[in-house]
Each structure stands twice: as C-alpha cells, then as structure tokens.
Amino acid sequence: MGERNAVLGGAPQDVKFRGERSNLVIGDDNLIRESVTLHRACGEGEVTRIGSRNFFMVGVHVAHNCVVGDDNVFTNGAALAGHITVEDHVFLSNNVGCHQFVRLGRYAMVGGKSKIVQDVLSFFITDGNPARVRGINSVGLRRAGFSSETRRALKNAYQLLFRSGMPLDEALREMEIQDENVAHLVNFIRGSQRGFTRARTRDERESEEERLLV
C-alpha cells in the first residue's frame, strides 16, 4: 500500500548511473506512507529488494541496491544509503542515517538521529552519534516471544563481547556453543566487512555520567 507523493522505483541517486535497466522488487503487505522514496538499483539488471510486511513511515528513503527483509519498521525520516542490507524485525527510529554498505542485524533497534557507519549488531540497542551499543533489545525480544533462556543467552553474549575483556576471537568461540540466536550473532560478526558498532568505553560512560550531574 502506498500513500500520495511516495516515489517507488525512481532513478538511483548515483553518479555512476547511466540509465541502464534495473529494478525495484517489493514483497507483500508493506505499508508505505507519504513522501517515501524507494529507488531502483544501479547497474544493468541489478535489483533493490524490499521484503514483506515492512512499515515505511513519512519521509523514509531507501537508496539503490539495498536489500530489506521482512517485518521492519522505519520511522519518519530514516534514510538508507546504497547497498545496505537490513535483516528482519529491525526498528529504525526517526532520522537515523545509515552509511552505504552497512548491515543491520535482525531484531536490532536503533535510537533516533543515530549516525550508522558500521554494522549494527542483531538483538541489541544501538544509539548515539557516534553510535554505540547500549544493551540487548529486551523489550523487543519479549514482545517477539523470545524465551527467557534465549534472552539470558543474548545478555551473556553482550557481557562476553563488551564487558569480559576477552579478545574478540576468544569471545566468539565462547559464544558459538550457546543458543542458536547467539550463533546467528556470531556469524553476523564474522561476516562483517566494515566492522561493527561497539559498546561505550568506560571513559565514555564516565564522561556521560559527569555531564548528567552538571
């Protein structure tokens, strides 16, 4: 369903585009509100692909060659640059801006006005500028019916990644023997080409606490 003034399949905003034939493919039951722009791909025969049951609120932009999965929510003004992959059940808050070629993992939640220049980890809340992982997406996971055991496993994964002090390879080896969703997180990290958004350092946390006390 598309509202007035939405532009679906417009020419890609890419200086390399030379008018070649390309496509935008959209699945079923998407809700597309006013002034949304979903552009077709750049490159002969290439595809921008949108899955099913996504909600694109007012002013959302999805650029050329993006691949968007199912059941995602893009709130007002969220923008994806080219060649971005969004898995399933991702929530982007208002005016989030995503750099080209990043990936956003399933059940991730991104806070408003965040600047995303690296991959956003599945199952976690990412927020800020610079963007930082703030913890697991507890509310979203409960609403989605994740068991308490899975939520505990994901919380433990967060601790191993960001609080244990382990080298990354060691933490990933420890994580991959746990819940299947943690295994998905491990594979997502290992597949990262741009690196992934990390948690706040101790210095950043202390600096934020000092600002709140002023």
Side-chain angles (χ1 to χ4, degrees):
M1 174 182 175
E3 294 285 348
R4 294 180 61 184
N5 303 318
V7 177
L8 310 183
Q13 296 177 145
D14 189 325
V15 296
K16 299 186 297 297
F17 183 65
R18 294 292 182 270
E20 63 269 21
R21 184 179 180 86
S22 61
N23 298 285
L24 168 69
V25 175
I26 301 177
D28 300 324
D29 300 319
N30 291 286
L31 181 56
I32 301 170
R33 293 299 302 267
E34 302 90 341
S35 302
V36 169
T37 53
L38 308 178
H39 286 179
R40 68 181 188 270
C42 184
E44 183 68 35
E46 295 294 322
V47 176
T48 299
R49 191 174 301 277
I50 308 294
S52 298
R53 300 177 304 280
N54 297 289
F55 188 3
F56 300 93
M57 297 187 191
V58 174
V60 169
H61 174 63
V62 177
H64 58 89
N65 301 83
C66 286
V67 178
V68 175
D70 302 328
D71 301 294
N72 300 293
V73 177
F74 301 81
T75 68
N76 299 49
L80 306 184
H83 299 275
I84 286 174
T85 298
V86 181
E87 294 189 339
D88 303 327
H89 301 278
V90 174
F91 189 100
L92 295 188
S93 302
N94 67 298
N95 294 309
V96 169
C98 299
H99 193 280
Q100 61 184 351
F101 292 102
V102 301
R103 301 178 304 150
L104 295 98
R106 65 187 188 188
Y107 291 99
M109 180 175 184
V110 182
K113 299 178 175 61
S114 295
K115 177 184 177 182
I116 303 302
V117 298
Q118 292 182 302
D119 293 349
V120 171
L121 294 183
S122 308
F123 310 113
F124 294 157
I125 294 173
T126 297
D127 183 48
N129 186 359
R132 293 288 185 263
V133 174
R134 306 294 174 142
I136 70 167
N137 183 13
S138 300
V139 173
L141 296 178
R142 280 200 303 273
R143 288 176 176 171
F146 281 71
S147 68
S148 57
E149 291 80 7
T150 293
R151 298 199 305 273
R152 279 196 298 270
L154 289 167
K155 185 174 183 179
N156 185 56
Y158 173 85
Q159 295 294 330
L160 287 170
L161 280 172
F162 301 123
R163 295 289 182 264
S164 69
M166 285 184 181
L168 179 60
D169 286 345
E170 183 178 343
L172 294 178
R173 285 195 298 271
E174 181 76 16
M175 289 162 56
E176 66 186 352
I177 63 175
Q178 301 181 30
D179 177 271
E180 63 179 353
N181 291 288
V182 178
H184 176 89
L185 177 61
V186 170
N187 290 332
F188 185 90
I189 292 171
R190 286 181 171 155
S192 179
Q193 299 295 312
R194 293 188 57 87
F196 60 91
T197 299
R198 306 296 182 111
R200 292 173 295 172
T201 64
R202 177 177 294 179
D203 287 344
E204 287 175 325
R205 293 196 302 272
E206 291 176 350
S207 177
E208 183 172 330
E209 289 171 359
E210 289 175 359
R211 288 198 302 272
L212 291 174
L213 291 172
V214 172

